[in-house]
PDB file of all heavy atoms in Angstrom:
ATOM      1  N   PHE B 268      34.251  18.100  50.116  1.00 98.00           N
ATOM      2  CA  PHE B 268      35.150  19.273  50.224  1.00 98.00           C
ATOM      3  C   PHE B 268      36.397  19.053  49.398  1.00 98.00           C
ATOM      4  O   PHE B 268      36.799  19.913  48.590  1.00 98.00           O
ATOM      5  CB  PHE B 268      35.507  19.476  51.714  1.00 98.00           C
ATOM      6  CG  PHE B 268      36.533  20.526  51.962  1.00 98.00           C
ATOM      7  CD1 PHE B 268      36.142  21.871  52.064  1.00 98.00           C
ATOM      8  CD2 PHE B 268      37.881  20.215  52.084  1.00 98.00           C
ATOM      9  CE1 PHE B 268      37.076  22.868  52.276  1.00 98.00           C
ATOM     10  CE2 PHE B 268      38.823  21.209  52.318  1.00 98.00           C
ATOM     11  CZ  PHE B 268      38.430  22.545  52.416  1.00 98.00           C
ATOM     12  N   ALA B 269      37.013  17.895  49.533  1.00 98.00           N
ATOM     13  CA  ALA B 269      38.265  17.605  48.812  1.00 98.00           C
ATOM     14  C   ALA B 269      38.030  17.554  47.313  1.00 98.00           C
ATOM     15  O   ALA B 269      38.815  18.084  46.525  1.00 98.00           O
ATOM     16  CB  ALA B 269      38.847  16.287  49.308  1.00 98.00           C
ATOM     17  N   ALA B 270      36.930  16.960  46.891  1.00 98.00           N
ATOM     18  CA  ALA B 270      36.636  16.859  45.461  1.00 98.00           C
ATOM     19  C   ALA B 270      36.403  18.242  44.864  1.00 98.00           C
ATOM     20  O   ALA B 270      36.910  18.534  43.754  1.00 98.00           O
ATOM     21  CB  ALA B 270      35.416  15.969  45.241  1.00 98.00           C
ATOM     22  N   ALA B 271      35.719  19.110  45.609  1.00 98.00           N
ATOM     23  CA  ALA B 271      35.478  20.464  45.113  1.00 98.00           C
ATOM     24  C   ALA B 271      36.813  21.180  44.972  1.00 98.00           C
ATOM     25  O   ALA B 271      37.047  21.918  44.009  1.00 98.00           O
ATOM     26  CB  ALA B 271      34.557  21.205  46.046  1.00 98.00           C
ATOM     27  N   TYR B 272      37.689  20.983  45.930  1.00 98.00           N
ATOM     28  CA  TYR B 272      39.018  21.602  45.918  1.00 98.00           C
ATOM     29  C   TYR B 272      39.755  21.201  44.629  1.00 98.00           C
ATOM     30  O   TYR B 272      40.295  22.028  43.889  1.00 98.00           O
ATOM     31  CB  TYR B 272      39.810  21.209  47.143  1.00 98.00           C
ATOM     32  CG  TYR B 272      41.180  21.768  47.242  1.00 98.00           C
ATOM     33  CD1 TYR B 272      41.416  22.961  47.955  1.00 98.00           C
ATOM     34  CD2 TYR B 272      42.282  21.144  46.650  1.00 98.00           C
ATOM     35  CE1 TYR B 272      42.701  23.478  48.049  1.00 98.00           C
ATOM     36  CE2 TYR B 272      43.543  21.669  46.747  1.00 98.00           C
ATOM     37  CZ  TYR B 272      43.745  22.841  47.447  1.00 98.00           C
ATOM     38  OH  TYR B 272      45.024  23.383  47.524  1.00 98.00           O
ATOM     39  N   CYS B 273      39.788  19.887  44.374  1.00 97.00           N
ATOM     40  CA  CYS B 273      40.498  19.390  43.187  1.00 97.00           C
ATOM     41  C   CYS B 273      39.868  19.875  41.905  1.00 97.00           C
ATOM     42  O   CYS B 273      40.560  20.273  40.945  1.00 97.00           O
ATOM     43  CB  CYS B 273      40.507  17.876  43.163  1.00 97.00           C
ATOM     44  SG  CYS B 273      41.780  17.196  44.220  1.00 97.00           S
ATOM     45  N   ARG B 274      38.549  19.814  41.853  1.00 97.00           N
ATOM     46  CA  ARG B 274      37.869  20.177  40.611  1.00 97.00           C
ATOM     47  C   ARG B 274      38.089  21.663  40.286  1.00 97.00           C
ATOM     48  O   ARG B 274      38.005  22.040  39.127  1.00 97.00           O
ATOM     49  CB  ARG B 274      36.361  19.883  40.708  1.00 97.00           C
ATOM     50  CG  ARG B 274      35.989  18.449  40.440  1.00 97.00           C
ATOM     51  CD  ARG B 274      34.472  18.303  40.400  1.00 97.00           C
ATOM     52  NE  ARG B 274      34.022  17.302  41.334  1.00 97.00           N
ATOM     53  CZ  ARG B 274      34.000  15.996  41.128  1.00 97.00           C
ATOM     54  NH1 ARG B 274      34.465  15.515  40.000  1.00 97.00           N
ATOM     55  NH2 ARG B 274      33.551  15.152  42.051  1.00 97.00           N
ATOM     56  N   SER B 275      38.372  22.470  41.293  1.00 97.00           N
ATOM     57  CA  SER B 275      38.585  23.906  41.029  1.00 97.00           C
ATOM     58  C   SER B 275      39.949  24.174  40.436  1.00 97.00           C
ATOM     59  O   SER B 275      40.282  25.282  40.133  1.00 97.00           O
ATOM     60  CB  SER B 275      38.404  24.684  42.316  1.00 97.00           C
ATOM     61  OG  SER B 275      39.490  24.422  43.157  1.00 97.00           O
ATOM     62  N   GLY B 276      40.737  23.107  40.241  1.00 96.00           N
ATOM     63  CA  GLY B 276      42.007  23.278  39.559  1.00 96.00           C
ATOM     64  C   GLY B 276      43.157  23.650  40.483  1.00 96.00           C
ATOM     65  O   GLY B 276      44.245  24.002  40.008  1.00 96.00           O
ATOM     66  N   LYS B 277      42.931  23.580  41.787  1.00 97.00           N
ATOM     67  CA  LYS B 277      43.987  23.997  42.730  1.00 97.00           C
ATOM     68  C   LYS B 277      45.081  22.945  42.888  1.00 97.00           C
ATOM     69  O   LYS B 277      46.100  23.202  43.498  1.00 97.00           O
ATOM     70  CB  LYS B 277      43.358  24.290  44.120  1.00 97.00           C
ATOM     71  CG  LYS B 277      42.413  25.477  44.141  1.00 97.00           C
ATOM     72  CD  LYS B 277      42.226  25.976  45.559  1.00 97.00           C
ATOM     73  CE  LYS B 277      41.116  27.011  45.621  1.00 97.00           C
ATOM     74  NZ  LYS B 277      39.808  26.387  45.930  1.00 97.00           N
ATOM     75  N   GLY B 278      44.835  21.711  42.385  1.00 98.00           N
ATOM     76  CA  GLY B 278      45.853  20.703  42.524  1.00 98.00           C
ATOM     77  C   GLY B 278      45.443  19.646  43.544  1.00 98.00           C
ATOM     78  O   GLY B 278      44.297  19.588  43.923  1.00 98.00           O
ATOM     79  N   PRO B 279      46.390  18.843  43.974  1.00 98.00           N
ATOM     80  CA  PRO B 279      46.055  17.705  44.829  1.00 98.00           C
ATOM     81  C   PRO B 279      45.749  18.140  46.257  1.00 98.00           C
ATOM     82  O   PRO B 279      46.102  19.242  46.683  1.00 98.00           O
ATOM     83  CB  PRO B 279      47.306  16.869  44.831  1.00 98.00           C
ATOM     84  CG  PRO B 279      48.410  17.819  44.534  1.00 98.00           C
ATOM     85  CD  PRO B 279      47.848  18.894  43.710  1.00 98.00           C
ATOM     86  N   ILE B 280      45.084  17.264  46.992  1.00 98.00           N
ATOM     87  CA  ILE B 280      44.808  17.438  48.412  1.00 98.00           C
ATOM     88  C   ILE B 280      44.927  16.082  49.087  1.00 98.00           C
ATOM     89  O   ILE B 280      44.840  15.047  48.420  1.00 98.00           O
ATOM     90  CB  ILE B 280      43.390  18.090  48.597  1.00 98.00           C
ATOM     91  CG1 ILE B 280      43.177  18.544  50.036  1.00 98.00           C
ATOM     92  CG2 ILE B 280      42.290  17.101  48.166  1.00 98.00           C
ATOM     93  CD1 ILE B 280      41.942  19.376  50.229  1.00 98.00           C
ATOM     94  N   LEU B 281      45.171  16.093  50.396  1.00 98.00           N
ATOM     95  CA  LEU B 281      45.412  14.860  51.128  1.00 98.00           C
ATOM     96  C   LEU B 281      44.371  14.692  52.226  1.00 98.00           C
ATOM     97  O   LEU B 281      44.135  15.619  52.995  1.00 98.00           O
ATOM     98  CB  LEU B 281      46.807  14.896  51.728  1.00 98.00           C
ATOM     99  CG  LEU B 281      47.600  13.613  51.951  1.00 98.00           C
ATOM    100  CD1 LEU B 281      49.071  13.956  52.145  1.00 98.00           C
ATOM    101  CD2 LEU B 281      47.086  12.856  53.132  1.00 98.00           C
ATOM    102  N   MET B 282      43.787  13.505  52.317  1.00 98.00           N
ATOM    103  CA  MET B 282      42.821  13.229  53.404  1.00 98.00           C
ATOM    104  C   MET B 282      43.337  12.076  54.227  1.00 98.00           C
ATOM    105  O   MET B 282      43.707  11.048  53.623  1.00 98.00           O
ATOM    106  CB  MET B 282      41.489  12.829  52.841  1.00 98.00           C
ATOM    107  CG  MET B 282      40.498  13.936  52.699  1.00 98.00           C
ATOM    108  SD  MET B 282      39.051  13.467  51.744  1.00 98.00           S
ATOM    109  CE  MET B 282      38.452  12.007  52.514  1.00 98.00           C
ATOM    110  N   GLU B 283      43.399  12.202  55.552  1.00 98.00           N
ATOM    111  CA  GLU B 283      43.689  11.053  56.373  1.00 98.00           C
ATOM    112  C   GLU B 283      42.372  10.614  57.047  1.00 98.00           C
ATOM    113  O   GLU B 283      41.723  11.407  57.690  1.00 98.00           O
ATOM    114  CB  GLU B 283      44.705  11.433  57.463  1.00 98.00           C
ATOM    115  CG  GLU B 283      45.047  10.312  58.445  1.00 98.00           C
ATOM    116  CD  GLU B 283      45.874  10.758  59.641  1.00 98.00           C
ATOM    117  OE1 GLU B 283      46.492  11.814  59.552  1.00 98.00           O
ATOM    118  OE2 GLU B 283      45.879  10.025  60.663  1.00 98.00           O
ATOM    119  N   LEU B 284      42.009   9.360  56.788  1.00 98.00           N
ATOM    120  CA  LEU B 284      40.802   8.830  57.432  1.00 98.00           C
ATOM    121  C   LEU B 284      41.236   8.002  58.604  1.00 98.00           C
ATOM    122  O   LEU B 284      41.900   6.954  58.442  1.00 98.00           O
ATOM    123  CB  LEU B 284      40.020   7.960  56.454  1.00 98.00           C
ATOM    124  CG  LEU B 284      39.567   8.587  55.138  1.00 98.00           C
ATOM    125  CD1 LEU B 284      38.861   7.551  54.278  1.00 98.00           C
ATOM    126  CD2 LEU B 284      38.674   9.793  55.394  1.00 98.00           C
ATOM    127  N   GLN B 285      40.840   8.395  59.829  1.00 98.00           N
ATOM    128  CA  GLN B 285      41.202   7.594  60.997  1.00 98.00           C
ATOM    129  C   GLN B 285      40.146   6.522  61.185  1.00 98.00           C
ATOM    130  O   GLN B 285      38.989   6.819  61.456  1.00 98.00           O
ATOM    131  CB  GLN B 285      41.284   8.494  62.249  1.00 98.00           C
ATOM    132  CG  GLN B 285      42.464   9.442  62.140  1.00 98.00           C
ATOM    133  CD  GLN B 285      42.682  10.203  63.431  1.00 98.00           C
ATOM    134  OE1 GLN B 285      41.802  10.875  63.923  1.00 98.00           O
ATOM    135  NE2 GLN B 285      43.915  10.137  63.937  1.00 98.00           N
ATOM    136  N   THR B 286      40.576   5.286  61.019  1.00 98.00           N
ATOM    137  CA  THR B 286      39.613   4.199  61.026  1.00 98.00           C
ATOM    138  C   THR B 286      40.211   2.984  61.767  1.00 98.00           C
ATOM    139  O   THR B 286      41.265   3.115  62.423  1.00 98.00           O
ATOM    140  CB  THR B 286      39.180   3.850  59.571  1.00 98.00           C
ATOM    141  OG1 THR B 286      38.175   2.830  59.601  1.00 98.00           O
ATOM    142  CG2 THR B 286      40.345   3.403  58.721  1.00 98.00           C
ATOM    143  N   TYR B 287      39.545   1.835  61.662  1.00 98.00           N
ATOM    144  CA  TYR B 287      40.002   0.687  62.436  1.00 98.00           C
ATOM    145  C   TYR B 287      39.510  -0.598  61.782  1.00 98.00           C
ATOM    146  O   TYR B 287      38.389  -0.649  61.268  1.00 98.00           O
ATOM    147  CB  TYR B 287      39.434   0.756  63.865  1.00 98.00           C
ATOM    148  CG  TYR B 287      40.162  -0.129  64.861  1.00 98.00           C
ATOM    149  CD1 TYR B 287      41.334   0.300  65.462  1.00 98.00           C
ATOM    150  CD2 TYR B 287      39.709  -1.417  65.154  1.00 98.00           C
ATOM    151  CE1 TYR B 287      42.003  -0.493  66.365  1.00 98.00           C
ATOM    152  CE2 TYR B 287      40.382  -2.234  66.031  1.00 98.00           C
ATOM    153  CZ  TYR B 287      41.522  -1.750  66.654  1.00 98.00           C
ATOM    154  OH  TYR B 287      42.214  -2.561  67.560  1.00 98.00           O
ATOM    155  N   ARG B 288      40.375  -1.605  61.745  1.00 98.00           N
ATOM    156  CA  ARG B 288      39.931  -2.901  61.202  1.00 98.00           C
ATOM    157  C   ARG B 288      39.766  -3.918  62.334  1.00 98.00           C
ATOM    158  O   ARG B 288      40.608  -3.998  63.204  1.00 98.00           O
ATOM    159  CB  ARG B 288      40.939  -3.418  60.153  1.00 98.00           C
ATOM    160  CG  ARG B 288      42.392  -3.519  60.606  1.00 98.00           C
ATOM    161  CD  ARG B 288      43.202  -4.404  59.661  1.00 98.00           C
ATOM    162  NE  ARG B 288      44.631  -4.200  59.765  1.00 98.00           N
ATOM    163  CZ  ARG B 288      45.429  -4.807  60.666  1.00 98.00           C
ATOM    164  NH1 ARG B 288      44.920  -5.605  61.590  1.00 98.00           N
ATOM    165  NH2 ARG B 288      46.730  -4.572  60.656  1.00 98.00           N
ATOM    166  N   TYR B 289      38.645  -4.623  62.313  1.00 98.00           N
ATOM    167  CA  TYR B 289      38.404  -5.612  63.378  1.00 98.00           C
ATOM    168  C   TYR B 289      39.262  -6.848  63.148  1.00 98.00           C
ATOM    169  O   TYR B 289      39.773  -7.428  64.097  1.00 98.00           O
ATOM    170  CB  TYR B 289      36.934  -6.014  63.426  1.00 98.00           C
ATOM    171  CG  TYR B 289      36.035  -4.863  63.808  1.00 98.00           C
ATOM    172  CD1 TYR B 289      34.778  -4.717  63.237  1.00 98.00           C
ATOM    173  CD2 TYR B 289      36.429  -3.904  64.740  1.00 98.00           C
ATOM    174  CE1 TYR B 289      33.942  -3.673  63.579  1.00 98.00           C
ATOM    175  CE2 TYR B 289      35.595  -2.845  65.107  1.00 98.00           C
ATOM    176  CZ  TYR B 289      34.351  -2.755  64.516  1.00 98.00           C
ATOM    177  OH  TYR B 289      33.525  -1.720  64.842  1.00 98.00           O
ATOM    178  N   HIS B 290      39.374  -7.279  61.878  1.00 97.00           N
ATOM    179  CA  HIS B 290      40.169  -8.463  61.612  1.00 97.00           C
ATOM    180  C   HIS B 290      41.653  -8.112  61.694  1.00 97.00           C
ATOM    181  O   HIS B 290      42.032  -6.953  61.714  1.00 97.00           O
ATOM    182  CB  HIS B 290      39.878  -8.948  60.179  1.00 97.00           C
ATOM    183  CG  HIS B 290      38.819 -10.003  60.124  1.00 97.00           C
ATOM    184  ND1 HIS B 290      37.472  -9.714  60.068  1.00 97.00           N
ATOM    185  CD2 HIS B 290      38.906 -11.382  60.093  1.00 97.00           C
ATOM    186  CE1 HIS B 290      36.769 -10.850  60.010  1.00 97.00           C
ATOM    187  NE2 HIS B 290      37.628 -11.864  60.027  1.00 97.00           N
ATOM    188  N   GLY B 291      42.456  -9.150  61.703  1.00 97.00           N
ATOM    189  CA  GLY B 291      43.888  -8.943  61.596  1.00 97.00           C
ATOM    190  C   GLY B 291      44.221  -8.418  60.205  1.00 97.00           C
ATOM    191  O   GLY B 291      43.346  -8.187  59.391  1.00 97.00           O
ATOM    192  N   HIS B 292      45.514  -8.269  59.939  1.00 97.00           N
ATOM    193  CA  HIS B 292      45.965  -7.745  58.642  1.00 97.00           C
ATOM    194  C   HIS B 292      45.365  -8.557  57.481  1.00 97.00           C
ATOM    195  O   HIS B 292      44.854  -7.994  56.518  1.00 97.00           O
ATOM    196  CB  HIS B 292      47.488  -7.797  58.609  1.00 97.00           C
ATOM    197  CG  HIS B 292      48.047  -7.705  57.246  1.00 97.00           C
ATOM    198  ND1 HIS B 292      48.012  -6.558  56.476  1.00 97.00           N
ATOM    199  CD2 HIS B 292      48.664  -8.628  56.429  1.00 97.00           C
ATOM    200  CE1 HIS B 292      48.573  -6.783  55.301  1.00 97.00           C
ATOM    201  NE2 HIS B 292      48.964  -8.001  55.239  1.00 97.00           N
ATOM    202  N   SER B 293      45.431  -9.850  57.632  1.00 96.00           N
ATOM    203  CA  SER B 293      44.818 -10.737  56.628  1.00 96.00           C
ATOM    204  C   SER B 293      44.301 -11.963  57.355  1.00 96.00           C
ATOM    205  O   SER B 293      44.423 -12.054  58.584  1.00 96.00           O
ATOM    206  CB  SER B 293      45.834 -11.157  55.576  1.00 96.00           C
ATOM    207  OG  SER B 293      46.744 -12.090  56.152  1.00 96.00           O
ATOM    208  N   MET B 294      43.763 -12.909  56.625  1.00 96.00           N
ATOM    209  CA  MET B 294      43.156 -14.074  57.275  1.00 96.00           C
ATOM    210  C   MET B 294      44.213 -14.940  57.980  1.00 96.00           C
ATOM    211  O   MET B 294      43.875 -15.785  58.765  1.00 96.00           O
ATOM    212  CB  MET B 294      42.366 -14.908  56.262  1.00 96.00           C
ATOM    213  CG  MET B 294      41.034 -14.293  55.909  1.00 96.00           C
ATOM    214  SD  MET B 294      39.993 -13.950  57.318  1.00 96.00           S
ATOM    215  CE  MET B 294      39.752 -15.591  57.974  1.00 96.00           C
ATOM    216  N   SER B 295      45.467 -14.739  57.667  1.00 94.00           N
ATOM    217  CA  SER B 295      46.469 -15.540  58.362  1.00 94.00           C
ATOM    218  C   SER B 295      46.981 -14.835  59.607  1.00 94.00           C
ATOM    219  O   SER B 295      47.937 -15.299  60.269  1.00 94.00           O
ATOM    220  CB  SER B 295      47.636 -15.904  57.410  1.00 94.00           C
ATOM    221  OG  SER B 295      48.052 -14.741  56.727  1.00 94.00           O
ATOM    222  N   ASP B 296      46.379 -13.716  59.917  1.00 95.00           N
ATOM    223  CA  ASP B 296      46.794 -12.974  61.120  1.00 95.00           C
ATOM    224  C   ASP B 296      45.614 -12.880  62.107  1.00 95.00           C
ATOM    225  O   ASP B 296      44.614 -12.231  61.827  1.00 95.00           O
ATOM    226  CB  ASP B 296      47.245 -11.553  60.716  1.00 95.00           C
ATOM    227  CG  ASP B 296      47.448 -10.635  61.914  1.00 95.00           C
ATOM    228  OD1 ASP B 296      47.700 -11.134  63.039  1.00 95.00           O
ATOM    229  OD2 ASP B 296      47.311  -9.428  61.706  1.00 95.00           O
TER     230      ASP B 296
END
Side-chain angles (χ1 to χ4, degrees):
Chain B
F268 174 84
Y272 180 94
C273 279
R274 278 187 237 278
S275 70
K277 295 199 189 91
I280 191 169
L281 208 164
M282 265 169 53
E283 177 189 342
L284 303 178
Q285 292 189 304
T286 183
Y287 198 84
R288 53 164 161 84
Y289 295 143
H290 267 85
H292 162 71
S293 72
M294 284 305 298
S295 47
D296 169 27

